[in-house]
Amino acid sequence: MNNPDDLQHILKFLKKNHVLALCATVDGEMWSANCFYVTDEGSMTLYFMTELKTLHGSLMSRSPHIVGTIAPPPKSIALIKGIQYRGEATVLDGEEESRARSQYCKRFPVAIAMKTPVWALRLSHIKMTDNALGFGKKLVWDREETR
């Protein structure tokens, strides 16, 4: 069971930051990329934009399971904060795409003119390190699937 205080701490971090690193792989071919993102708290989903013709976009379209990090540069070792995550990335369409694009463009107005596909990264596992809470302190969140 997830700790609600840990989740709130993780969400605060996700909303404060805006660049994720991701790694996609298919049949031994892999690639990483950095993307701007916005957080949808209710669904624990990150929305980002990238073209299908990029190597990471092509790999994600063939195998949506990705891993990555969100880690801003710390001012000192005592202030290290970062997330390692696992999730599933899919290209959005329809109403969901419109909602996500609106949220993304509100945070990054320069994207309004872009026709780039919007992706949803549905997070399934997060491990956050936050040395400000104590050296090496880890917070963990896992998606609890309803069956």
Side-chain angles (χ1 to χ4, degrees):
M1 176 173 258
N2 293 314
N3 180 325
D5 293 334
D6 288 357
L7 176 58
Q8 289 309 307
H9 194 82
I10 289 167
L11 284 168
K12 182 178 176 183
F13 177 85
L14 286 172
K15 290 186 339 187
K16 183 177 181 181
N17 291 281
H18 61 273
V19 178
L20 60 82
L22 63 84
C23 184
T25 183
V26 176
D27 299 328
E29 183 177 15
M30 63 179 72
W31 197 247
S32 62
N34 293 322
C35 300
F36 289 98
Y37 74 89
V38 294
T39 306
D40 183 319
E41 291 181 49
S43 65
M44 283 302 284
T45 299
L46 306 179
Y47 298 124
F48 64 98
M49 295 175 94
T50 198
E51 293 285 351
L52 287 163
K53 65 185 176 189
T54 62
L55 182 52
H56 60 282
S58 171
L59 293 171
M60 289 186 300
S61 70
R62 295 180 355 222
S63 177
H65 302 286
I66 63 171
V67 296
T69 61
I70 301 169
K75 292 186 180 12
S76 77
I77 195 167
L79 299 176
I80 288 174
K81 290 182 185 180
I83 282 179
Q84 295 167 287
Y85 67 82
R86 186 176 7 200
E88 188 173 312
T90 54
V91 177
L92 298 176
D93 60 14
E95 180 63 31
E96 191 177 15
E97 190 274 344
S98 296
R99 219 174 327 105
R101 184 176 297 277
S102 174
Q103 190 176 345
Y104 188 91
C105 290
K106 184 176 180 182
R107 177 104 187 250
F108 307 109
V110 70
I112 290 170
M114 298 172 66
K115 303 297 181 211
T116 306
V118 178
W119 295 68
L121 169 53
R122 187 173 186 263
L123 298 165
S124 59
H125 176 78
I126 294 172
K127 181 174 86 172
M128 179 178 185
T129 300
D130 188 344
N131 282 357
L133 299 175
F135 189 76
K137 174 67 177 175
K138 307 287 190 246
L139 308 175
V140 176
W141 174 87
D142 285 296
R143 183 172 298 280
E144 295 175 0
E145 298 296 337
T146 55
R147 296 174 197 231

